[in-house]
């Protein structure tokens, strides 16, 4: 199949009106949807077309953005609440064979050392780590945006930083 000048002009016209690639292929006839997409790409036709569904998609996108913003705030506040909490349960050293679903699987030491063990505290639901090690393992999105002043960092975290 070769693109004649008439077919190219028809493609440009229909593309500009906002027809889908499938509709254009059907109207021109004898070409596939993918051929229309490929030719439109090679002709550098804009992918941002005003279509009938564009307005309804914008309403949907805006509602999704609002939901995502609310979810992000919720996750961020959960992590901040973990930082504020200072009364962590004591470590319960366990070997690999002793771990279960509710045990913190944070490794302590190096696996080649005889003193190597896992934290063993009670892990949070849907996570492999306890509250303390969750702070180390998972950084919420946008964490770099939240600059914490040195004075705001709790003492127990400063102590962990110094010991590391």
């Amino acid at each position: 199949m070769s693109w004649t000048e008439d077919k190219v002009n028809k493609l440009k016209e229909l593309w500009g009106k906002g027809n889908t690639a499938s509709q254009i292929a059907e109207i021109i006839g004898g070409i596939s949807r993918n051929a229309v997409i490929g030719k439109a790409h090679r002709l550098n036709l804009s992918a941002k077309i005003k279509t009938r569904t564009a307005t309804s998609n914008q309403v949907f996108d805006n509602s999704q953005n609002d939901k995502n913003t609310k979810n992000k705030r919720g996750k961020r506040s959960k992590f901040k609440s973990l930082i504020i909490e200072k009364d962590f349960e004591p470590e319960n050293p366990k070997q690999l064979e002793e771990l279960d679903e509710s045990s913190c699987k944070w490794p302590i030491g190096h696996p080649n050392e005889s003193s190597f063990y896992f934290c063993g505290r009670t892990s949070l639901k849907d996570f492999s780590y306890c509250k303390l090690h969750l702070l180390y393992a998972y950084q919420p999105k946008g964490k770099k945006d939240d600059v914490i002043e040195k004075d705001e960092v709790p003492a127990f975290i400063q102590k962990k930083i110094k010991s590391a």
Side-chain angles (χ1 to χ4, degrees):
M1 186 253 131
S2 62
W3 284 93
T4 64
E5 200 170 317
D6 291 339
K7 288 181 180 180
V8 171
N9 289 336
K10 190 71 172 170
L11 166 66
K12 288 179 181 179
E13 176 190 337
L14 294 170
W15 190 268
K17 290 181 180 177
N19 289 311
T20 65
S22 298
Q23 292 169 337
I24 295 170
E26 193 175 311
I27 292 168
I28 294 176
I31 56 173
S32 68
R33 170 187 168 272
N34 287 340
V36 170
I37 293 170
K39 189 64 174 177
H41 179 72
R42 288 188 297 278
L43 292 171
N44 291 325
L45 297 178
S46 174
K48 297 177 181 178
I49 308 169
K50 303 277 188 214
T51 62
R52 284 171 267 148
T53 58
T55 54
S56 63
N57 285 346
Q58 286 174 347
V59 172
F60 177 74
D61 288 343
N62 288 340
S63 65
Q64 284 297 101
N65 288 340
D66 292 342
K67 288 180 185 176
N68 289 341
T69 304
K70 289 176 185 174
N71 287 343
K72 286 180 186 175
R73 287 183 193 144
K75 288 179 185 176
R76 190 171 293 154
S77 64
K78 287 179 188 174
F79 277 97
K80 285 185 179 177
S81 69
L82 286 176
I83 292 173
I84 293 168
E85 189 174 319
K86 296 178 183 167
D87 55 332
F88 297 106
E89 69 178 275
E91 210 170 63
N92 181 13
K94 291 188 176 186
Q95 296 300 315
L96 179 63
E97 300 81 22
E98 301 170 327
L99 292 175
D100 57 15
E101 286 185 24
S102 65
S103 298
C104 176
K105 294 160 186 69
W106 188 266
I108 309 291
H110 192 276
N112 291 341
E113 297 173 357
S114 60
S115 60
F116 177 75
Y117 63 95
F118 293 91
C119 171
R121 292 183 180 105
T122 305
S123 63
L124 295 177
K125 185 177 183 240
D126 299 328
F127 290 100
S128 299
Y129 305 121
C130 64
K131 293 176 185 178
L132 177 64
H133 291 124
L134 191 68
L135 292 171
Y136 288 115
Y138 297 101
Q139 293 293 318
K141 289 184 180 180
K143 183 68 176 169
K144 291 179 182 176
D145 298 338
D146 294 344
V147 178
I148 298 176
E149 296 297 322
K150 189 167 185 161
D151 298 337
E152 293 179 22
V153 178
F156 73 93
I157 292 180
Q158 286 294 340
K159 187 176 178 182
K160 279 289 187 183
I161 292 170
K162 287 178 186 175
S163 68

